[in-house]
Amino acid sequence: MTQILIRNATILTMDAANGTVPFEGDVLVEGTLIKAIGRGLAAAPDATVIEGAGKLVMPGLVNAHTHSSETFFRGRYEKMPLEVWLLYAYPLLMGPVIEPRLLYLRSLLLAMESLRNGVTMLSDCFFDPPAHELDRLGTVFRAYEDAGIRANVSSGVMNIHTLDALPYAREVMPAELQARLAFGPPITASAYIDYCLAAIGAFDGRAGRLKFMIAPSAPQRCTPDLLTACYELANDRNLPFHTHVLETITQAVTGPELYDKSLVRYLADLGVLGRNTTIAHSVWVDDEDMALMGAAGCSVAHNAIANQKLGAGVAPVRRLMDAGVTLALGTDGVSSNDTARIFDVMRVAALLHSAAGPNYEQWLSASEILQAATLGGARSALLEEVTGSLEPDKAADLVILDLGAYPFTPLNDIAKHLVYCENGSSIELVMVNGEIVMRDGRLTKVDEAAILAEIRERVPAYLAQHARIEELNQPFEPYFAEIHRRASLRHSGPYRYAGDAPAWPSNRGAR
């Protein structure tokens, strides 16, 4: 079995014994696993030796929540709340589905950027309306297999009409526009579960590092029988149950308006909060919500950058952690974040939550941020026994950084440098499952230059087509903006915006 010995390095294991305290030593990789960590380790005569002097070895980062479906919309939108942005990034009136080669390139681009920036594992809430097709899901899995990344991949589902998943929508939108959104019968719970079972059989465990995950889009977008069926399947197969909850002020109003309770309490009453449950966002939660989530052992994927790009507000992260919720970090999609860099999310999350209040003892530390970016993310993906820390018998998912680079010069505290100074520019090597997938600035498993050239050649025509789809959906924008405005004025619970500006210049027209 092949061995790789990294010797005389500075090591940051993120395990229970050492946490974020670095030490000097060696890392021995055998096959796909870490064989040993210590000083003066011996390796086989034919082992590959990597000199680690002046280098930092740390676990690969985990992106706990992203959407490969958005990768071609980088730098396309701004100044839109989620409810308006969705109209363009996930249009109601759709054109032809993206063709297979572009679907592959879109997924591969996300994997390539992730690996270059030290992300060795991601959870992709892949969304591919209008149908669920195994061949198209398989294209995404193939891209991740080819790139060499570890990933959990879903085929996100919703089966409640958009206008019935939002407060005030049927009231504010003209009948002639509503009529344009008659999409036919939605998928049933039994049909989706059959699809998931087929996907598990076809793709779960592929390449030893790819898994399927169950991802109902959001509680208000899925019927109760679909939510409970998804949860039961996730528990039965030990897969993540990954969903979006309370991202925006509109969603804070959605629960009381549609169910007479918060969306978290709605999920709790359905019995779908548990160890397998990962909630993306969790911005507009209240004290009772957080207590329920903590008692159930849920995880939260905190998307610190995307939440600000879409004006969603600031999640009460410290209080979630105090309630017992596992904190993970996500970029969200490349349209609502514009990069796939978890290092960026780490820095923003650390700084953002220092603005939460004057009690600086409650601000997030660099160690807590690193925990969320590694083991917390792995736990949210049900992979904490596989990845997220450097320990013997865990997968060799690791990153080597140059401690002589600008972000570490002069060197003070490595954990703080990683959170506040590093942006991925110091990365020299990335390893996933014992395989070197990036070294000396070059991805080893794909022809990066050729892939980027093909994307530059082919994607402009796709984006021109998408611009026409945006035009078709533009007439709906004023009404989604009005839903956002009404919800903002109606909300009476915890307030998750950081500033003190009024919701609107005046309340004229509020109902």
Side-chain angles (χ1 to χ4, degrees):
M1 190 174 292
T2 59
Q3 288 188 339
I4 299 173
L5 177 65
I6 307 167
R7 65 185 181 191
N8 299 322
T10 300
I11 305 170
L12 192 73
T13 59
M14 299 302 303
D15 65 355
N18 299 291
T20 57
V21 178
F23 58 91
E24 304 300 312
D26 309 334
V27 178
L28 179 62
V29 173
E30 185 173 274
T32 63
L33 302 177
I34 296 171
K35 177 73 171 177
I37 299 173
R39 292 180 180 273
L41 297 180
D46 61 348
T48 298
V49 177
I50 298 173
E51 296 297 339
K55 313 296 181 185
L56 172 68
V57 183
M58 66 173 290
L61 302 177
V62 177
N63 187 348
H65 181 73
T66 188
H67 297 272
S68 61
S69 316
E70 300 173 26
T71 308
F72 288 161
F73 299 151
R74 183 195 312 271
R76 193 168 182 88
Y77 307 113
E78 68 174 356
K79 295 186 67 174
M80 292 181 180
L82 175 81
E83 288 73 26
V84 173
W85 169 83
L86 283 170
L87 187 61
Y88 298 110
Y90 295 88
L92 293 174
L93 299 179
M94 298 178 290
V97 296
I98 190 169
E99 54 104 340
R101 180 60 182 174
L102 283 179
L103 173 59
Y104 174 82
L105 292 172
R106 188 175 71 179
S107 308
L108 187 61
L109 180 61
L110 176 63
M112 288 162 53
E113 183 182 2
S114 298
L115 290 170
R116 272 198 160 277
N117 289 280
V119 171
T120 56
M121 190 275 160
L122 58 83
S123 288
D124 178 10
C125 289
F126 171 61
F127 186 64
D128 190 42
H132 296 274
E133 298 180 10
L134 281 180
D135 286 349
R136 292 178 63 79
L137 180 63
T139 298
V140 179
F141 272 89
R142 180 165 58 87
Y144 293 150
E145 181 177 8
D146 291 349
I149 201 165
R150 186 181 302 280
N152 286 357
V153 187
S154 76
S155 183
V157 65
M158 59 178 67
N159 69 341
I160 290 178
H161 194 289
T162 298
L163 297 184
D164 295 319
L166 287 164
Y168 323 124
R170 294 291 186 185
E171 177 184 348
V172 304
M173 188 169 293
E176 62 270 20
L177 286 182
Q178 293 192 38
R180 296 178 64 186
L181 302 179
F183 300 129
I187 191 170
T188 64
S190 60
Y192 182 67
I193 295 303
D194 286 346
Y195 169 83
C196 289
L197 289 170
I200 292 168
F203 307 121
D204 193 57
R206 186 167 174 170
R209 49 183 164 78
L210 304 178
K211 295 190 68 64
F212 184 72
M213 68 179 181
I214 314 296
S217 175
Q220 72 276 18
R221 300 174 191 145
C222 299
T223 56
D225 64 328
L226 177 58
L227 290 168
T228 54
C230 286
Y231 186 74
E232 290 169 4
L233 179 60
N235 278 330
D236 181 60
R237 298 302 181 97
N238 194 33
L239 300 174
F241 175 88
H242 195 115
T243 188
H244 303 71
V245 186
L246 287 173
E247 180 175 358
T248 68
I249 195 169
T250 297
Q251 293 176 14
V253 173
T254 298
E257 287 287 328
L258 299 186
Y259 309 110
D260 200 31
K261 63 188 74 172
S262 80
L263 292 174
V264 169
R265 291 196 271 286
Y266 176 64
L267 289 173
D269 288 348
L270 287 176
V272 298
L273 290 184
R275 167 66 186 91
N276 289 40
T277 307
T278 289
I279 289 175
H281 304 295
S282 187
V283 176
W284 293 84
V285 287
D286 62 21
D287 290 346
E288 185 176 347
D289 295 334
M290 289 185 269
L292 288 168
M293 293 161 63
C298 295
S299 299
V300 162
H302 177 42
N303 302 279
I305 293 178
N307 287 344
Q308 307 322 305
K309 178 77 183 289
L310 296 177
V314 181
V317 168
R318 171 59 69 194
R319 296 173 67 192
L320 284 162
M321 294 168 66
D322 288 346
V325 174
T326 295
L327 182 68
L329 298 181
T331 59
D332 214 344
V334 173
S335 175
S336 60
N337 181 314
D338 300 296
T339 85
R341 296 192 295 264
I342 284 291
F343 275 117
D344 290 359
V345 178
M346 290 161 61
R347 186 169 194 264
V348 169
L351 297 174
L352 178 65
H353 295 289
S354 298
N359 183 0
Y360 52 87
E361 293 182 357
Q362 294 295 305
W363 298 350
L364 296 182
S365 68
S367 292
E368 289 171 317
I369 294 290
L370 280 168
Q371 177 83 8
T374 52
L375 264 177
R379 180 175 171 81
S380 76
L382 302 186
L383 292 173
E384 70 271 26
E385 301 300 323
V386 175
T387 191
S389 62
L390 303 183
E391 301 180 59
D393 298 324
K394 292 186 75 168
D397 296 354
L398 59 83
V399 177
I400 300 179
L401 301 97
D402 179 10
L403 291 176
Y406 281 104
F408 296 97
T409 304
L411 185 60
N412 286 286
D413 181 289
I414 281 178
K416 295 181 181 68
H417 280 276
L418 287 169
V419 171
Y420 296 110
C421 312
E422 182 57 64
N423 60 5
S425 62
S426 306
I427 295 173
E428 292 191 341
L429 181 146
V430 177
M431 181 184 296
V432 180
N433 220 32
E435 183 175 15
I436 296 172
V437 295
M438 199 275 277
R439 187 169 192 177
D440 298 329
R442 187 178 68 85
L443 296 174
T444 65
K445 292 179 67 65
V446 295
D447 186 338
E448 189 174 14
I451 293 296
L452 293 176
E454 185 178 0
I455 289 171
R456 286 191 294 267
E457 178 183 355
R458 298 175 63 119
V459 171
Y462 166 77
L463 292 177
Q465 180 186 61
H466 186 72
R468 293 190 289 272
I469 300 301
E470 291 170 330
E471 291 175 3
L472 285 177
N473 285 271
Q474 195 279 330
F476 297 94
E477 180 176 338
Y479 305 102
F480 283 91
E482 175 64 8
I483 292 167
H484 169 72
R485 188 188 74 87
R486 289 192 185 196
S488 300
L489 293 172
R490 188 71 58 92
H491 176 66
S492 60
Y495 196 68
R496 300 301 184 199
Y497 288 113
D500 59 358
W504 302 98
S506 76
N507 285 356
R508 186 172 59 251
R511 285 185 266 170

